Amino acid sequence: MEAVEGNGGGSGLVVTELSHIKELVKQLDVHLGGSPGLCKHLAQQIFAVTEKSIGIIRSGHFNCPKRSAAGAGLDSPPLSATPSPVSGVSNTPFKPNKKRKTSEKGRHQIRVSSAGGGADAPADDGHSWRKYGQKDILGAHHPRAYYRCTYQKTQGCAATKQVQRADEDPALFDVIYHGEHTCLHKTAAAMVQPDGQNQDAQSLLQNLSSSLTVKTEGLIAAGTQGWSTTTPFSFSSPAVSGMTPPEHHPFSAPSTPENCFVSMPTSLEPSPATSGSNHMCFNPFQAQSELQTMVSALVEATSMPPADTEEAGFAYWSFDDSALDVNSFDEDVTNFDISAFLASDV
DNA sequence: AGGATTTGACCCAC
DNA sequence: GTGGGTCAAATCCT
């Protein structure tokens, strides 16, 4: 999507981003006409939360006072001026200048765990990628791999991504996405869907989920504090969850409704990890993660056999007005673990 | 055999 | 000239 280029526009970018989310959810809501009520309900919830987030930003809460410089982990760039973190180790200011500026737009960077993705690759993100290059990067301990969408030729999908193992923690990968998927390929989750119902919703949700990818480019100036070298921001698309072994994968798919569980930090309220501090701090990364999680849950829900969802009643989600908590009634569940922003320094 | 990956060469922004 | 990104032939895998 059209991320505002440049750094200074951190909040503006988030507003833009969230506005887009809002639009997508609107569409989703329309598409879900004949789908399980839960999906619709969740879509409405996401919509409400998105609006709330935008409201918070606009009301001036969008600024976190300080941050621990530990963020160097994900090459969190200096807050000051320039977007453009690329490779990871530097503490020195990055210039916004990189080769091939053409793809600066629509750039998303996330850190993913290797869990569920094998030792040499991060967890599957739900898209089909074809590796087209690998390069040793100056100053980095690990080479950077270049991927493009498998459907680039057949569908003209221009999405690419770069994957590089984090220097400080080989179990983590920095993934930079360029461009958006325009391909219409079926996700794994969609393919395992028994009756093909909700495929429109699935598609929309995938789009939405993709849109919610944590974007550091341009947000860096405002939100990088959230990153730290130790933040295991584990993420993988639920789109493939149905085919992924559920065990311990951070986003592993709950195979049954009983296993549905999402735990997340709450960006819209004081972080429990920050004792004492009670003032609100909106962390755009965190909010996006939360929204992403919610959408993931929604995608998960739509990929479940209707019978199961009906049986279970699907009362797993509780959305608090003040907190974006999504809870499970089951205590022993697979945990959707997003811990990246727990230590958000408020 | 066809598709995916590897890898050295090339291109291009600085 | 340097280094990141891409190309494309060679190789590997299924």
Side-chain angles (χ1 to χ4, degrees):
Chain A
M1 56 203 65
E2 301 65 49
V4 177
E5 285 297 324
N7 27 54
S11 61
L13 182 140
V14 175
V15 170
T16 300
E17 196 74 20
L18 292 178
S19 295
H20 181 65
I21 293 167
K22 188 173 158 183
E23 276 309 306
L24 287 171
V25 174
K26 277 182 181 177
Q27 293 178 40
L28 168 64
D29 201 26
V30 171
H31 268 267
L32 285 176
S35 321
L38 168 72
C39 299
K40 187 154 187 163
H41 173 70
L42 287 173
Q44 289 167 350
Q45 291 291 346
I46 293 172
F47 183 73
V49 169
T50 302
E51 280 200 309
K52 181 177 179 177
S53 299
I54 293 174
I56 290 171
I57 296 170
R58 286 182 172 152
S59 66
H61 289 291
F62 175 74
N63 59 334
C64 294
K66 63 169 186 172
R67 66 188 43 200
S68 54
L74 183 81
D75 47 84
S76 38
L79 305 183
S80 51
T82 52
S84 92
V86 170
S87 76
V89 248
S90 167
N91 285 332
T92 65
F94 272 86
K95 295 179 183 176
N97 47 6
K98 262 309 150 199
K99 340 285 171 180
R100 309 291 160 106
K101 285 193 162 185
T102 54
S103 50
E104 288 275 329
K105 199 171 186 178
R107 199 172 121 140
H108 311 257
Q109 181 165 349
I110 63 174
R111 171 161 290 191
V112 302
S113 161
S114 62
D120 296 330
D124 196 331
D125 60 6
H127 286 288
S128 183
W129 299 98
R130 176 171 179 165
K131 190 175 183 178
Y132 67 87
Q134 178 166 310
K135 211 137 162 91
D136 288 324
I137 300 302
L138 196 70
H141 298 153
H142 306 285
R144 175 178 301 166
Y146 299 87
Y147 298 84
R148 64 166 60 101
C149 179
T150 301
Y151 306 92
Q152 184 193 49
K153 288 184 178 176
T154 57
Q155 297 183 28
C157 182
T160 64
K161 74 171 179 179
Q162 302 171 2
V163 177
Q164 186 167 11
R165 193 182 289 271
D167 286 345
E168 71 278 9
D169 187 350
L172 300 177
F173 293 84
D174 292 335
V175 183
I176 302 172
Y177 293 89
H178 292 274
E180 294 182 31
H181 282 276
T182 57
C183 57
L184 301 172
H185 78 282
K186 298 284 188 284
T187 63
M191 287 189 288
V192 299
Q193 208 160 309
D195 56 1
Q197 226 175 0
N198 290 346
Q199 285 194 354
D200 282 346
Q202 281 279 338
S203 178
L204 265 172
L205 285 166
Q206 286 306 318
N207 186 10
L208 174 54
S209 185
S210 179
S211 306
L212 287 170
T213 301
V214 175
K215 174 176 292 186
T216 59
E217 191 74 18
L219 283 178
I220 269 129
T224 325
Q225 282 95 355
W227 290 114
S228 80
T229 50
T230 56
T231 39
F233 177 46
S234 304
F235 164 76
S236 81
S237 167
V240 293
S241 55
M243 305 182 74
T244 310
E247 45 192 294
H248 306 112
H249 190 284
F251 260 59
S252 65
S255 54
T256 68
E258 289 76 22
N259 283 338
C260 278
F261 178 83
V262 174
S263 70
M264 60 176 81
T266 56
S267 67
L268 298 180
E269 65 173 6
S271 166
T274 61
S275 60
S277 173
N278 234 18
H279 77 276
M280 179 177 288
C281 172
F282 177 75
N283 181 331
F285 294 110
Q286 203 168 329
Q288 283 204 324
S289 289
E290 290 171 356
L291 286 167
Q292 175 112 39
T293 303
M294 294 168 70
V295 172
S296 296
L298 184 49
V299 171
E300 190 61 43
T302 60
S303 65
M304 289 178 193
D308 288 332
T309 60
E310 297 290 333
E311 282 173 13
F314 240 96
Y316 309 105
W317 323 100
S318 72
F319 295 91
D320 187 297
D321 257 348
S322 59
L324 289 166
D325 285 336
V326 179
N327 297 313
S328 167
F329 291 155
D330 191 336
E331 294 178 2
D332 181 21
V333 295
T334 302
N335 191 0
F336 284 13
D337 180 22
I338 296 184
S339 49
F341 306 110
L342 279 174
S344 139
D345 205 352
V346 193

